[in-house]
Amino acid sequence: MDFGMPTLVENRTLDDNVRLCKELGLQFVELNMNFPQYQIESLEQTATYREIMKQEGIYFTIHLDENLNVADFNHAVANAYMDTVRRAIAVAHEIHAPILNMHMNHGIYLTLPDRKVQMYEEYFDIYMEAMERFIQMCDSEIGEDDIRISVENTDGFFNFEKCAIERMLQSPRFSLTWDIGHSHATQNVDEDFLMAHEDRLRHFHIHDAKGRQNHLALGTGEIDLPQRLALAGKHNCRCVVETKTFAALRESIRHIPSVAGSILLS
């Protein structure tokens, strides 16, 4: 398995992230498009990233903007997100980024006296038409290159999202990301769905969790890390050690050999 690190808020520059990646002996950095430094216009300066890859012997994955909403009822908004993904795929081609990680957007809900109405569920046909356009665009733009749009679990998939994901997984250009901390914090609500599509796992976000608190350093929470990492290894998944601070990341990297050892002994 390759291990990588997330974009850290403590690192103000790309060079800072690369330097820490090398210091910790990791193989890649996940560039996070929620940060101002990694908006699409910056990522499109691909010569910079290719030079770093050549000089430092690391590579990059891309975390798409968590606000990404290709099904927004406002077509101008949806098209802007579609264009951002299209351009991010072009970047991935240029820098050989194997994964573009994405979250599903729940959309808005209306609160009625007796229930909440998820608008994408209420207007399911319109939602699925938008998702179909997104899938077809990704298929066309990725082509035969070895790039995957990998869908991450967060706080529990709604049924309409599961339908969209299952349609995505009909395409070989989509895969799944298992965030093990998010799983634990939501009482593993998505585990059955993820395991039903186990063969499509390509990416893991690993961090420990305790109760509903996640993004803890590995070994400081309640997750059965050997079991989760054994599954990642079974499917040759990349693992982002997704803690949020220097200290937690360093502690997690120190803990990985003991977890890996327990996997080999099991």
Side-chain angles (χ1 to χ4, degrees):
M1 288 183 292
D2 282 358
F3 288 91
M5 58 171 275
T7 305
L8 295 180
V9 72
E10 293 170 292
N11 282 333
R12 306 301 290 187
T13 69
L14 175 61
D15 286 345
D16 290 338
N17 280 304
V18 170
R19 190 177 302 112
L20 184 60
C21 179
K22 292 287 290 181
E23 175 193 326
L24 296 175
L26 301 171
Q27 285 77 52
F28 66 96
V29 177
E30 187 147 281
L31 303 169
N32 193 324
M33 294 182 71
N34 295 293
F35 284 64
Q37 304 96 309
Y38 305 105
Q39 294 304 299
I40 190 62
E41 296 81 6
S42 297
L43 295 184
E44 287 174 330
Q45 307 304 309
T46 55
T48 298
Y49 296 94
R50 292 198 305 270
E51 182 64 21
I52 288 171
M53 293 165 63
K54 179 180 177 181
Q55 293 294 327
E56 304 296 343
I58 65 169
Y59 64 94
F60 300 100
T61 60
I62 297 171
H63 194 308
L64 295 168
D65 186 345
E66 292 176 21
N67 293 316
L68 186 76
N69 190 359
V70 297
D72 197 288
F73 296 144
N74 183 325
H75 288 176
V77 172
N79 288 338
Y81 281 122
M82 288 273 283
D83 186 59
T84 298
V85 177
R86 184 180 293 107
R87 293 165 69 182
I89 291 170
V91 169
H93 282 298
E94 288 286 325
I95 67 173
H96 306 291
I99 292 286
L100 288 86
N101 189 78
M102 70 170 283
H103 291 189
M104 299 297 287
N105 193 306
H106 298 326
I108 65 168
Y109 62 85
L110 299 182
T111 303
L112 304 185
D114 60 337
R115 61 194 174 99
K116 290 181 179 178
V117 176
Q118 292 291 148
M119 294 296 279
Y120 287 155
E121 186 170 47
E122 187 73 11
Y123 295 93
F124 179 72
D125 290 347
I126 295 173
Y127 173 74
M128 286 301 293
E129 287 172 7
M131 296 308 297
E132 185 67 33
R133 287 192 297 274
F134 175 67
I135 293 164
Q136 291 181 11
M137 182 274 289
C138 292
D139 279 345
S140 175
E141 296 296 323
I142 291 173
E144 298 305 314
D145 210 346
D146 191 18
I147 297 168
R148 297 291 177 270
I149 310 290
S150 203
V151 181
E152 177 187 351
N153 61 297
T154 54
D155 55 354
F157 295 128
F158 286 101
N159 285 334
F160 62 85
E161 292 174 316
K162 292 178 183 178
C163 290
I165 295 167
E166 287 182 331
R167 171 62 188 93
M168 289 176 181
L169 295 179
Q170 291 176 19
S171 164
R173 296 163 190 93
F174 286 83
S175 62
L176 293 172
T177 297
W178 194 332
D179 187 304
I180 64 173
H182 291 166
S183 273
H184 186 86
T186 55
Q187 294 77 53
N188 296 309
V189 66
D190 289 320
E191 182 163 356
D192 288 346
F193 180 78
L194 292 166
M195 289 303 296
H197 304 284
E198 177 186 349
D199 62 320
R200 305 305 297 279
L201 289 169
R202 293 293 180 273
H203 202 53
F204 270 62
H205 284 180
I206 60 171
H207 43 103
D208 222 325
K210 185 180 296 183
R212 296 187 63 83
Q213 183 183 14
N214 59 39
H215 297 290
L216 303 179
L218 298 180
T220 64
E222 302 164 338
I223 295 178
D224 184 347
L225 295 172
Q227 187 273 337
R228 294 305 197 211
L229 286 180
L231 183 64
K234 176 182 176 182
H235 296 287
N236 299 313
C237 295
R238 295 172 179 83
C239 294
V240 178
V241 185
E242 203 190 27
T243 55
K244 301 299 186 180
T245 67
F246 293 159
L249 183 58
R250 287 193 172 97
E251 184 176 354
S252 295
I253 300 307
R254 286 194 295 268
H255 188 73
I256 286 174
S258 64
V259 177
S262 65
I263 293 171
L264 293 173
L265 292 170
S266 63

